[in-house]
Amino acid sequence: MSVPTRNGVIGVARRRVDGRAKVTGQTRFADDLTLPRMLHCKLLRSSVPHARIVRLDTSKAAAHPGVHLVLTGETFPDCLRGVAGEPRRARALP
Amino acid sequence: MMNHNTASSLASRQRLALEVNGEPADALVDTYKTLLELLREDLQLTGTKHGCELGECGACAVLLDNEPVLSCLVLGVECEGRQVTTIEGLQGDTALHPLQDAFADLGASQCGYCTPGILITAKALLDREPRPSRAQIKDALAGNLCRCTGYLQIIEAVEKGALECARKGVK
């Protein structure tokens, strides 16, 4: 598929700059990083589309060993962005 | 991992001795951990990728006693005394394995997340079938998902890697 050119670049297959790193397993993806004091985040999403959230009980989650913080929509009372920009009374996470 | 009071400290641990990429490895591991977690978290070999954790995507493939396995479906404690080969152990002392060269040369690795698992699976194929047909390559890689390349470059790279292995006399 290569086409001879005067400058030897156009039409000539070139390795990706990160090709070597990727075939040797050296490329660092987000899941490969470990940083000091790093915490992991777990999103709990509604199992029902377009449902109204009436009540959230996070007490067990907050009490679970190793859990540092539980955030819900109540943490962000001024954030009203929902699906397609529709305002909500509910206390869901955006 | 991140907290001292997480479930890991409640679980039992076991001292494990195994061989990883030709070198002895020794770790005190939680008995619930998979081989994938043992490699990535305890031995810091993050080249083996954590994909679906269900045995569907092939990103976590490694060689266990020279046989390809999905490391997310193998418990670490099953590997006592066994030989594990990961992507970090594929290249030689001075040169990349011909499969690695072919993947880099032919654009068979784009985002690169599936690449380690595919290279390991392809290596296992060449170990048992040094001159595989295209059908055999497709069959061997059927359990490895790639969302970037459309597979054609990968299949061509395995073909080229096989030829180069034969030409250079590389295993």
Side-chain angles (χ1 to χ4, degrees):
Chain A
M1 119 168 197
S2 69
V3 179
T5 59
R6 266 185 298 183
N7 59 22
V9 174
I10 298 169
V12 177
R14 293 284 168 201
R15 273 192 185 190
R16 304 170 63 94
V17 290
D18 54 359
R20 185 187 177 91
K22 285 183 170 169
V23 300
T24 53
Q26 298 306 304
T27 301
R28 290 275 178 264
F29 295 83
D31 192 32
D32 302 329
L33 303 174
T34 306
L35 299 169
R37 300 170 61 230
M38 184 168 83
L39 298 177
H40 291 261
C41 166
K42 164 77 180 170
L43 291 180
L44 181 65
R45 307 179 70 174
S46 170
S47 56
V48 185
H50 297 281
R52 178 148 17 110
I53 297 169
V54 178
R55 189 168 51 87
L56 288 173
D57 182 359
T58 60
S59 55
K60 274 190 178 172
H64 197 273
V67 171
H68 284 243
L69 181 65
V70 178
L71 294 172
T72 72
E74 285 186 331
T75 319
F76 309 98
D78 299 329
C79 181
L80 292 176
R81 278 171 298 170
V83 175
E86 186 183 326
R88 297 170 302 191
R89 291 172 283 167
R91 298 160 290 178
L93 261 180
Chain B
M1 184 174 79
M2 68 280 193
N3 298 311
H4 297 300
N5 58 344
T6 52
S8 62
S9 62
L10 306 173
S12 63
R13 292 187 176 178
Q14 189 171 319
R15 181 156 289 284
L16 270 187
L18 63 163
E19 190 183 305
V20 179
N21 298 329
E23 294 181 4
D26 178 88
L28 185 63
V29 295
D30 295 313
T31 51
Y32 67 81
K33 279 193 179 182
T34 62
L35 174 57
L36 174 64
E37 292 164 329
L38 163 66
L39 291 168
R40 290 177 53 85
E41 297 171 11
D42 295 285
L43 301 178
Q44 282 75 51
L45 294 171
T46 56
T48 304
K49 293 298 172 230
H50 195 147
C52 67
E53 219 178 29
L54 298 166
E56 292 176 357
C57 75
C60 67
V62 300
L63 301 182
L64 185 57
D65 294 334
N66 296 315
E67 288 292 324
V69 297
L70 299 173
S71 62
C72 75
L73 299 182
V74 178
L75 278 175
V77 293
E78 294 178 69
C79 301
E80 169 70 34
R82 301 176 75 179
Q83 294 181 339
V84 179
T85 305
T86 71
I87 185 66
E88 288 91 346
L90 194 57
Q91 68 209 77
D93 289 336
T94 54
L96 293 182
H97 188 278
L99 279 169
Q100 292 173 307
D101 268 326
F103 270 63
D105 284 338
L106 299 182
S109 177
Q110 286 184 31
C111 91
Y113 205 80
C114 71
T115 305
I118 290 183
L119 283 167
I120 287 291
T121 309
K123 169 70 164 60
L125 169 65
L126 299 193
D127 284 347
R128 65 176 189 273
E129 180 52 65
R131 294 295 300 273
S133 67
R134 188 160 276 220
Q136 285 173 311
I137 295 170
K138 284 184 180 176
D139 190 53
L141 296 180
N144 292 82
L145 299 184
C146 167
R147 302 289 77 159
C148 300
T149 64
Y151 300 102
L152 193 58
Q153 296 93 325
I154 291 172
I155 293 165
E156 289 172 351
V158 176
E159 288 177 331
K160 184 182 179 192
L163 288 174
E164 287 298 305
C165 279
R167 194 176 68 79
K168 294 177 177 171
V170 177
K171 272 290 280 179

